[in-house]
């Protein structure tokens, strides 16, 4: 039985794009279907959020030939400081004592996306359908058939293997009737960029608070990526605060 592709990957975010990049030098014919252009301002996968890349993930990206393009836009985590609000004691870790160059790296999602897209667009064995959406999926014992809508026109493509990498709320998974176990923690993580008065010295801070963990992660130009966990029913209150009001709450939670 003939197929248009060996593998169809639905979703061009970090997971789907990384898989496609890993297969770029294979003999397999790959299709990647992504709904939102990587260059769009509202691209949910590749916005200005700071991502924490572990050392093992960095090594994977390096082996894929991607890290050389990501590295100039990354900031190393040399030290980690973990504490618990209203409690004594803390934990410190540093790269030198563990004989590694860094414990991890902070990279903007947008820069990660650029590296993925450059590799995908240059690969001869990868076809990138974007912007495009999947409207139907059929699975048989020998193949997967996917209906793709491109500029209002439906096109059917087939493959030996279908990979659903279109996010936690995957429409592909729903179309296939695959159930997912979901547990709501009633928490929301607010992610933003802040500029401390003092140099961050490549130190990542994690502080456990009554509403959830709070993290300050070192990024370029002495900025820090803030991950601020709050109760879901209070999230909108924090999002509507002015800058000074939000910083006052942050200082109270993190401690001066």
């Amino acid at each position: 039985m003939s197929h248009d592709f060996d593998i169809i990957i639905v979703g061009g975010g970090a997971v789907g794009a990384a898989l496609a990049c890993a297969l770029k030098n294979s003999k397999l014919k790959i299709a990647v279907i992504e709904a939102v252009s990587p260059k769009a301002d509202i691209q949910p996968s590749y916005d200005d959020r700071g991502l924490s890349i572990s050392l093992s993930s960095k090594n994977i990206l390096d082996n894929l030939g991607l890290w050389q393009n990501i590295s100039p836009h990354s900031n190393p985590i040399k030290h980690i400081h973990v504490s618990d609000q209203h409690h004594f004691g803390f934990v410190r870790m540093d790269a030198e004592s563990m004989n590694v160059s860094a414990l991890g790296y902070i990279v903007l999602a947008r820069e990660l996306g650029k590296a993925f897209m450059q590799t995908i667009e240059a690969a001869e064995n990868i076809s990138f359908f974007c912007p495009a959406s999947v409207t139907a999926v059929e699975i048989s014992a020998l193949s997967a058939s996917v209906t793709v809508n491109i500029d209002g026109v439906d096109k059917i493509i087939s493959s030996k293997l279908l990979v659903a990498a279109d996010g936690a709320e995957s429409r592909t998974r729903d179309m296939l009737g695959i159930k997912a176990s979901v547990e709501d923690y009633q928490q929301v993580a607010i992610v933003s960029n802040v500029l401390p008065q003092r140099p961050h010295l490549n130190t990542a801070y994690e502080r456990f608070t009554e509403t959830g963990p709070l993290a300050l992660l070192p990024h370029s130009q002495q900025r820090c990526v803030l991950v601020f966990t709050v109760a879901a029913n209070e999230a909108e209150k924090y999002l509507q605060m002015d800058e000074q009001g939000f910083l006052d709450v942050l200082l109270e939670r993190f401690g001066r």
Side-chain angles (χ1 to χ4, degrees), residues 81 83 85-86 197-198 205 207 214 216 243-256:
H81 184 287
S83 61
Q85 190 179 32
H86 306 312
Q197 291 181 331
R198 299 178 182 178
Y205 294 91
R207 188 162 177 78
L214 183 155
L216 278 174
E243 183 174 303
Q244 189 57 53
F246 185 79
L247 288 175
D248 288 342
V249 172
L250 176 59
L251 285 171
E252 186 274 326
R253 296 290 174 86
F254 193 78
R256 294 179 182 273

Short mmCIF file of all heavy atoms in Angstrom, two decimals, residues 81 83 85-86 197-198 205 207 214 216 243-256:
data_model
loop_
_atom_site.label_atom_id
_atom_site.label_comp_id
_atom_site.label_asym_id
_atom_site.label_seq_id
_atom_site.Cartn_x
_atom_site.Cartn_y
_atom_site.Cartn_z
N HIS A 81 19.10 28.21 43.80
CA HIS A 81 18.81 28.47 45.21
C HIS A 81 17.33 28.14 45.45
O HIS A 81 16.45 28.73 44.83
CB HIS A 81 19.10 29.94 45.53
CG HIS A 81 18.94 30.30 46.98
ND1 HIS A 81 17.71 30.42 47.59
CD2 HIS A 81 19.86 30.58 47.93
CE1 HIS A 81 17.87 30.76 48.85
NE2 HIS A 81 19.17 30.86 49.09
N SER A 83 14.22 27.64 48.34
CA SER A 83 13.83 27.94 49.72
C SER A 83 12.33 27.79 49.90
O SER A 83 11.58 27.70 48.92
CB SER A 83 14.27 29.36 50.11
OG SER A 83 13.64 30.32 49.27
N GLN A 85 9.10 29.62 51.87
CA GLN A 85 8.69 30.83 52.58
C GLN A 85 8.26 30.52 54.01
O GLN A 85 7.56 29.54 54.27
CB GLN A 85 7.54 31.51 51.82
CG GLN A 85 7.19 32.90 52.34
CD GLN A 85 6.06 33.53 51.55
OE1 GLN A 85 5.17 32.83 51.06
NE2 GLN A 85 6.08 34.84 51.41
N HIS A 86 8.71 31.38 54.95
CA HIS A 86 8.39 31.27 56.38
C HIS A 86 9.07 30.07 57.05
O HIS A 86 8.68 29.68 58.15
CB HIS A 86 6.88 31.19 56.62
CG HIS A 86 6.10 32.30 55.99
ND1 HIS A 86 6.47 33.62 56.11
CD2 HIS A 86 4.98 32.28 55.23
CE1 HIS A 86 5.60 34.38 55.45
NE2 HIS A 86 4.69 33.60 54.90
N GLN A 197 17.11 44.90 40.43
CA GLN A 197 18.03 46.00 40.66
C GLN A 197 19.47 45.51 40.70
O GLN A 197 20.40 46.25 40.35
CB GLN A 197 17.69 46.72 41.96
CG GLN A 197 16.39 47.51 41.92
CD GLN A 197 16.10 48.21 43.22
OE1 GLN A 197 16.51 47.76 44.30
NE2 GLN A 197 15.41 49.34 43.15
N ARG A 198 19.67 44.27 41.11
CA ARG A 198 21.02 43.71 41.22
C ARG A 198 21.24 42.65 40.13
O ARG A 198 20.29 42.03 39.67
CB ARG A 198 21.22 43.07 42.60
CG ARG A 198 21.09 44.05 43.76
CD ARG A 198 21.26 43.32 45.08
NE ARG A 198 21.11 44.21 46.22
CZ ARG A 198 21.18 43.82 47.49
NH1 ARG A 198 21.40 42.53 47.77
NH2 ARG A 198 21.04 44.70 48.46
N TYR A 205 16.33 31.09 41.15
CA TYR A 205 15.72 31.01 42.47
C TYR A 205 14.36 30.32 42.38
O TYR A 205 13.55 30.64 41.50
CB TYR A 205 15.53 32.40 43.07
CG TYR A 205 16.81 33.14 43.37
CD1 TYR A 205 17.39 33.97 42.42
CD2 TYR A 205 17.45 33.00 44.60
CE1 TYR A 205 18.57 34.65 42.69
CE2 TYR A 205 18.63 33.67 44.88
CZ TYR A 205 19.19 34.50 43.92
OH TYR A 205 20.36 35.17 44.19
N ARG A 207 11.19 29.48 45.06
CA ARG A 207 10.71 29.68 46.42
C ARG A 207 9.30 29.11 46.52
O ARG A 207 8.41 29.47 45.74
CB ARG A 207 10.70 31.17 46.76
CG ARG A 207 10.40 31.49 48.22
CD ARG A 207 10.85 32.91 48.52
NE ARG A 207 10.55 33.37 49.86
CZ ARG A 207 11.24 33.06 50.95
NH1 ARG A 207 12.28 32.24 50.85
NH2 ARG A 207 10.93 33.54 52.12
N LEU A 214 7.26 29.82 43.23
CA LEU A 214 7.61 31.05 42.52
C LEU A 214 9.05 30.89 42.06
O LEU A 214 9.91 30.46 42.84
CB LEU A 214 7.46 32.24 43.47
CG LEU A 214 7.71 33.65 42.94
CD1 LEU A 214 6.94 34.66 43.79
CD2 LEU A 214 9.19 34.01 42.97
N LEU A 216 12.41 32.64 39.79
CA LEU A 216 13.09 33.71 39.06
C LEU A 216 14.26 33.06 38.34
O LEU A 216 15.17 32.51 38.98
CB LEU A 216 13.59 34.80 40.01
CG LEU A 216 12.57 35.85 40.46
CD1 LEU A 216 13.20 36.78 41.50
CD2 LEU A 216 12.08 36.67 39.27
N GLU A 243 1.86 47.93 37.32
CA GLU A 243 3.20 47.38 37.49
C GLU A 243 3.69 47.43 38.92
O GLU A 243 4.22 46.45 39.45
CB GLU A 243 4.17 48.14 36.57
CG GLU A 243 5.59 47.60 36.60
CD GLU A 243 6.49 48.28 35.59
OE1 GLU A 243 6.16 48.25 34.39
OE2 GLU A 243 7.52 48.85 36.00
N GLN A 244 3.50 48.57 39.59
CA GLN A 244 4.00 48.71 40.96
C GLN A 244 3.25 47.79 41.92
O GLN A 244 3.85 47.19 42.81
CB GLN A 244 3.88 50.17 41.43
CG GLN A 244 4.57 50.43 42.77
CD GLN A 244 6.04 50.06 42.74
OE1 GLN A 244 6.79 50.50 41.87
NE2 GLN A 244 6.47 49.22 43.68
N GLY A 245 1.94 47.67 41.73
CA GLY A 245 1.16 46.79 42.59
C GLY A 245 1.60 45.34 42.46
O GLY A 245 1.71 44.61 43.46
N PHE A 246 1.89 44.93 41.23
CA PHE A 246 2.34 43.56 41.01
C PHE A 246 3.71 43.33 41.63
O PHE A 246 3.96 42.29 42.26
CB PHE A 246 2.37 43.27 39.51
CG PHE A 246 2.71 41.84 39.16
CD1 PHE A 246 1.74 40.86 39.24
CD2 PHE A 246 3.99 41.49 38.78
CE1 PHE A 246 2.03 39.53 38.94
CE2 PHE A 246 4.30 40.17 38.47
CZ PHE A 246 3.32 39.19 38.55
N LEU A 247 4.60 44.31 41.48
CA LEU A 247 5.94 44.18 42.06
C LEU A 247 5.89 44.13 43.58
O LEU A 247 6.67 43.40 44.21
CB LEU A 247 6.83 45.34 41.60
CG LEU A 247 7.26 45.32 40.14
CD1 LEU A 247 8.02 46.59 39.78
CD2 LEU A 247 8.13 44.09 39.84
N ASP A 248 4.97 44.87 44.18
CA ASP A 248 4.82 44.84 45.64
C ASP A 248 4.42 43.44 46.11
O ASP A 248 4.95 42.93 47.11
CB ASP A 248 3.78 45.86 46.09
CG ASP A 248 4.27 47.30 45.96
OD1 ASP A 248 5.49 47.49 45.85
OD2 ASP A 248 3.42 48.21 45.95
N VAL A 249 3.50 42.81 45.39
CA VAL A 249 3.08 41.45 45.74
C VAL A 249 4.25 40.48 45.55
O VAL A 249 4.49 39.60 46.38
CB VAL A 249 1.88 41.01 44.88
CG1 VAL A 249 1.57 39.53 45.11
CG2 VAL A 249 0.66 41.85 45.20
N LEU A 250 4.98 40.66 44.46
CA LEU A 250 6.12 39.79 44.18
C LEU A 250 7.17 39.89 45.29
O LEU A 250 7.69 38.86 45.75
CB LEU A 250 6.73 40.17 42.83
CG LEU A 250 8.00 39.41 42.41
CD1 LEU A 250 7.73 37.92 42.33
CD2 LEU A 250 8.49 39.94 41.06
N LEU A 251 7.46 41.10 45.73
CA LEU A 251 8.44 41.28 46.81
C LEU A 251 7.96 40.64 48.11
O LEU A 251 8.74 40.06 48.86
CB LEU A 251 8.71 42.77 47.02
CG LEU A 251 9.58 43.45 45.96
CD1 LEU A 251 9.60 44.96 46.15
CD2 LEU A 251 11.01 42.90 46.02
N GLU A 252 6.66 40.75 48.36
CA GLU A 252 6.11 40.16 49.59
C GLU A 252 6.22 38.64 49.55
O GLU A 252 6.55 38.00 50.56
CB GLU A 252 4.65 40.60 49.75
CG GLU A 252 4.00 40.17 51.07
CD GLU A 252 3.42 38.77 50.99
OE1 GLU A 252 2.94 38.39 49.91
OE2 GLU A 252 3.47 38.05 52.01
N ARG A 253 5.96 38.05 48.38
CA ARG A 253 6.02 36.59 48.25
C ARG A 253 7.46 36.08 48.23
O ARG A 253 7.78 35.04 48.81
CB ARG A 253 5.30 36.14 46.97
CG ARG A 253 3.82 36.46 46.96
CD ARG A 253 3.04 35.60 47.95
NE ARG A 253 1.66 36.02 48.02
CZ ARG A 253 0.72 35.59 47.20
NH1 ARG A 253 1.02 34.72 46.26
NH2 ARG A 253 -0.51 36.03 47.32
N PHE A 254 8.30 36.82 47.54
CA PHE A 254 9.67 36.35 47.38
C PHE A 254 10.54 36.73 48.58
O PHE A 254 11.46 36.00 48.95
CB PHE A 254 10.27 36.94 46.10
CG PHE A 254 11.56 36.30 45.69
CD1 PHE A 254 11.57 35.06 45.07
CD2 PHE A 254 12.77 36.91 45.94
CE1 PHE A 254 12.76 34.45 44.70
CE2 PHE A 254 13.97 36.31 45.57
CZ PHE A 254 13.96 35.08 44.95
N GLY A 255 10.23 37.88 49.17
CA GLY A 255 11.04 38.34 50.29
C GLY A 255 12.11 39.29 49.84
O GLY A 255 12.67 39.17 48.77
N ARG A 256 12.35 40.30 50.65
CA ARG A 256 13.36 41.29 50.31
C ARG A 256 14.75 40.79 50.69
O ARG A 256 14.90 40.00 51.58
CB ARG A 256 13.06 42.62 51.02
CG ARG A 256 11.76 43.26 50.55
CD ARG A 256 11.49 44.55 51.29
NE ARG A 256 10.23 45.15 50.87
CZ ARG A 256 10.11 45.98 49.84
NH1 ARG A 256 11.16 46.30 49.13
NH2 ARG A 256 8.94 46.48 49.52
#
